[in-house]
Amino acid sequence: MDIDTPAALIDEVRMAANIGRMQQRMTDLGVRLRPHVKTSKCVEVARRQQQAGAAGITVSTLKEAEQFFAAGFGDILYAVCISPEKLDRALALCRQGCALTLLVDSVAAAQAIVAKGHPFEVMIEIDSDGHRSGVQPEDPVLIDIGRVLHEGGAKLKGVLTHAGSSYDLNTPEALQKLAEQERRLSVRAAERLRAAGLPCPEVSVGSTPTALSAQSLEGVTEVRAGVYVFFDLVMANIGVCTPGDVALSVLTTVIGHQPDKGWVIVDAGWMAMSRDRGTQRQTIDYGYGAVCDAEGRAIEGLLVTAANQEHGIISRSDGKADPGLVDRFPIGTKLRILPNHACATGAQYPDYHLVTAEGATVVWPRFHGW
């Protein structure tokens, strides 16, 4: 493969299967899929999701919103609580015709929005698992926020939650239980708003593990999920995919050896893989990534066990030195590394090399920044 390394590769066949799997599941459960494009930050990837049936996109930065809107995506949910100083950028997008939805979880943020005098579409973030941010479904402040928005001239669009604690689970039973909790608590928050005479047409939930584990989404209108498009080793440990489903990898080249230590040195260090060690606390610790051959076939027993800025160290996962690796992987050998966290690894690159079923490659740009 004649590509300068390190490089981020997308396996087109695997990605298409991942997109199709999630889209079909959401269709079967009767909800819209609004993919979270922060994973790829790539217009071409998002277009594949859209072509498969996705409705709208989710973003995590206003830079993403601006870039995707410029590329023709008009229905955008900014799923991070907005700070007041970013409202002018959001307003500029709305005035250009973008159907942008904002997110809040406090009265102060709601007041800042209505003070702009523009009828922003706004959702209230709900805490359904104590993971990060959001309002408890039974908290009186939920109604206070809703009233500030509704009476202040904003459009109260609904409630939103993200069961991020799903990343800490690894059994179908636990994932199904959390998915139901995510659904139940977000629906409860919506019911409270409606009972208070406030509009709440949308109930938005989502994480890749809960989306792939939910048994019912009654009362939910849309699901947001992101990393499913590529998957990664964290998701494999959780149990919602296998390493063979991971569509993103890093192409790397062998640049040296330490025979007595059983090390193969490659040009993909932590700047190429990211410092994300999310599998370290899971059942299988994949180090900085799992090793595959240049065609993407797993090489059992080998991991990137250590990394410096531009050097990755490949060795046996059991810690035993294997001098035979020198002959097995001579200098110049190309390998692929599957990442722990696709979002973090993708963020290290300005573009992707899409590898088609026929082995051809196409370069797809990706976004950086906020």
Side-chain angles (χ1 to χ4, degrees), residues 18-27 30-36 49-50 52-58 205 211 221-226 228:
N18 297 340
I19 291 172
R21 175 188 173 195
M22 181 65 81
Q23 187 64 55
Q24 186 60 56
R25 181 165 178 78
M26 295 303 99
T27 299
V31 297
R32 295 191 309 272
L33 174 61
R34 180 187 290 274
H36 207 317
Q49 294 169 298
Q50 187 181 58
I57 59 172
T58 310
V205 305
T221 60
E222 72 174 18
V223 167
R224 307 170 331 279
Y228 77 90

Side-chain angles (χ1 to χ4, degrees), residues 268-287:
W270 56 255
M271 281 293 286
M273 298 305 306
S274 89
R275 278 194 177 277
D276 193 296
R277 292 280 282 104
T279 62
Q280 191 171 25
R281 62 179 184 274
Q282 294 183 308
T283 305
I284 301 174
D285 182 357
Y286 285 100

Side-chain angles (χ1 to χ4, degrees), residues 46-66:
R47 284 181 177 148
R48 297 294 181 95
Q49 294 169 298
Q50 187 181 58
Q51 290 163 4
I57 59 172
T58 310
V59 300
S60 59
T61 70
L62 285 177
K63 174 72 172 292
E64 291 168 36
E66 291 160 350

Side-chain angles (χ1 to χ4, degrees), residues 79-100:
V80 175
C81 290
I82 192 162
S83 56
E85 72 272 11
K86 293 180 180 178
L87 286 169
D88 285 340
R89 284 177 72 184
L91 182 57
L93 274 167
C94 293
R95 287 176 172 166
Q96 292 172 56
C98 180
L100 179 68

Side-chain angles (χ1 to χ4, degrees), residues 3 6-10 40-42 248 345-346 348-354 362-368:
I3 298 173
L9 306 184
I10 297 174
S40 68
K41 297 198 180 194
C42 175
L248 180 68
T345 297
Q348 308 304 305
Y349 296 88
D351 49 43
Y352 301 109
H353 292 262
L354 179 79
V362 180
V363 177
W364 283 354
R366 74 181 304 282
F367 306 141
H368 280 90

Side-chain angles (χ1 to χ4, degrees), residues 158-344:
V159 295
L160 173 153
T161 195
H162 168 62
S165 63
S166 60
Y167 280 49
D168 298 327
L169 306 177
N170 62 6
T171 68
E173 296 77 15
L175 288 165
Q176 289 171 17
K177 182 178 179 181
L178 183 59
E180 172 55 21
Q181 176 179 306
E182 180 186 43
R183 183 205 69 82
R184 176 175 52 81
L185 293 181
S186 57
V187 169
R188 171 58 182 158
E191 291 170 346
R192 288 192 62 227
L193 287 167
R194 293 166 188 154
L198 295 167
C200 188
E202 302 290 342
V203 177
S204 178
V205 305
S207 74
T208 288
T210 54
L212 291 172
S213 302
Q215 302 301 292
S216 168
L217 288 173
E218 183 179 358
V220 171
T221 60
E222 72 174 18
V223 167
R224 307 170 331 279
V227 74
Y228 77 90
V229 71
F230 294 154
F231 282 125
D232 54 30
L233 296 173
V234 167
M235 290 293 115
N237 268 329
I238 289 171
V240 294
C241 72
T242 70
D245 297 318
V246 178
L248 180 68
S249 62
V250 171
L251 184 69
T252 188
T253 304
V254 175
I255 59 173
H257 305 93
Q258 290 283 351
D260 56 329
K261 298 176 182 177
W263 289 359
V264 174
I265 313 300
V266 294
D267 63 356
W270 56 255
M271 281 293 286
M273 298 305 306
S274 89
R275 278 194 177 277
D276 193 296
R277 292 280 282 104
T279 62
Q280 191 171 25
R281 62 179 184 274
Q282 294 183 308
T283 305
I284 301 174
D285 182 357
Y286 285 100
Y288 284 86
V291 181
C292 302
D293 66 16
E295 284 69 48
R297 296 181 292 255
I299 301 174
E300 295 298 325
L302 293 185
L303 302 174
V304 180
T305 52
N308 300 119
Q309 183 165 329
E310 303 297 346
H311 295 74
I313 297 173
I314 292 175
S315 62
R316 286 176 48 150
S317 57
D318 61 9
K320 295 180 181 178
D322 183 358
L325 295 180
V326 174
D327 294 329
R328 192 174 169 191
F329 304 109
I331 288 175
T333 301
K334 293 288 197 300
L335 298 167
R336 293 193 201 183
I337 312 298
L338 302 183
N340 286 318
H341 186 180
C343 305

